[in-house]
Amino acid sequence: MIKNKKDFGLGVVSVLIAAGITYMSLQLRSSPYVGDPGPRMFPLIGAVIMFICGVALIIKPEKEQKIFMTAKQWKSAGIIFGVYIIATLLYYLLGFAVTLPIIFFVLTFMLSKLSLKDATKKQRIVRSLIYAVLAGAGVYVVYVVALGAVLPKGLLFTL
């Protein structure tokens, strides 16, 4: 008899999704270059990890079901999801280079409430601003300068 149906169901669903990812990945064309894994590699790695986790849930589920998330955790998850929705709109309107530091700041400031409990609000704002500027500049340098990638400019900057 299955004691924890939620873990068993999640394990089965994970294995099925891993199988679907594997099937779709194998439909991709292989790379014409010798030794290049091509576009299949990352989805297949993800599918293998998902398959292993799904089998682990099927074989050894938790002994008793626990509450998945409290109401406060659902609220926090909803707020972070809302930030990601806003990020998508900002990427479309302002582009990558402007949006990334803004989102870095917002998320870092939100999460600093948990990690920097003794810090004042002003200290948290300053730390979040410093991180957002440095991390945003770092990502920009890696993608644009080092890799030569063309990042989306946004609707407002292309008018």
Side-chain angles (χ1 to χ4, degrees), residues 15-79:
V15 168
L16 292 174
I17 290 173
I21 291 171
T22 302
Y23 175 76
M24 288 187 291
S25 297
L26 293 176
Q27 303 303 314
L28 297 172
R29 284 182 274 159
S30 60
S31 176
Y33 304 108
V34 177
D36 182 18
R40 296 179 185 175
M41 183 178 73
F42 286 118
L44 287 175
I45 290 172
V48 167
I49 292 170
M50 184 177 273
F51 177 80
I52 291 169
C53 292
V55 169
L57 280 173
I58 292 170
I59 293 173
K60 191 170 181 185
E62 289 283 327
K63 294 190 187 219
E64 59 184 66
Q65 288 185 341
K66 299 176 185 174
I67 296 175
F68 178 60
M69 287 173 57
T70 64
K72 186 177 179 182
Q73 290 170 330
W74 277 109
K75 180 181 174 189
S76 296
I79 290 171

Side-chain angles (χ1 to χ4, degrees), residues 86-96 98-99 153-159:
I86 291 169
T88 304
L89 294 172
L90 288 176
Y91 281 131
Y92 178 73
L93 293 174
L94 301 176
F96 188 84
V98 176
T99 301
K153 299 247 189 274
L155 184 65
L156 295 178
F157 293 110
T158 56
L159 293 177

Side-chain angles (χ1 to χ4, degrees), residues 34 37 41 60 98 107 113 116 128 143:
V34 177
M41 183 178 73
K60 191 170 181 185
V98 176
L107 289 175
K113 192 178 224 180
L116 301 172
S128 298
Y143 279 98

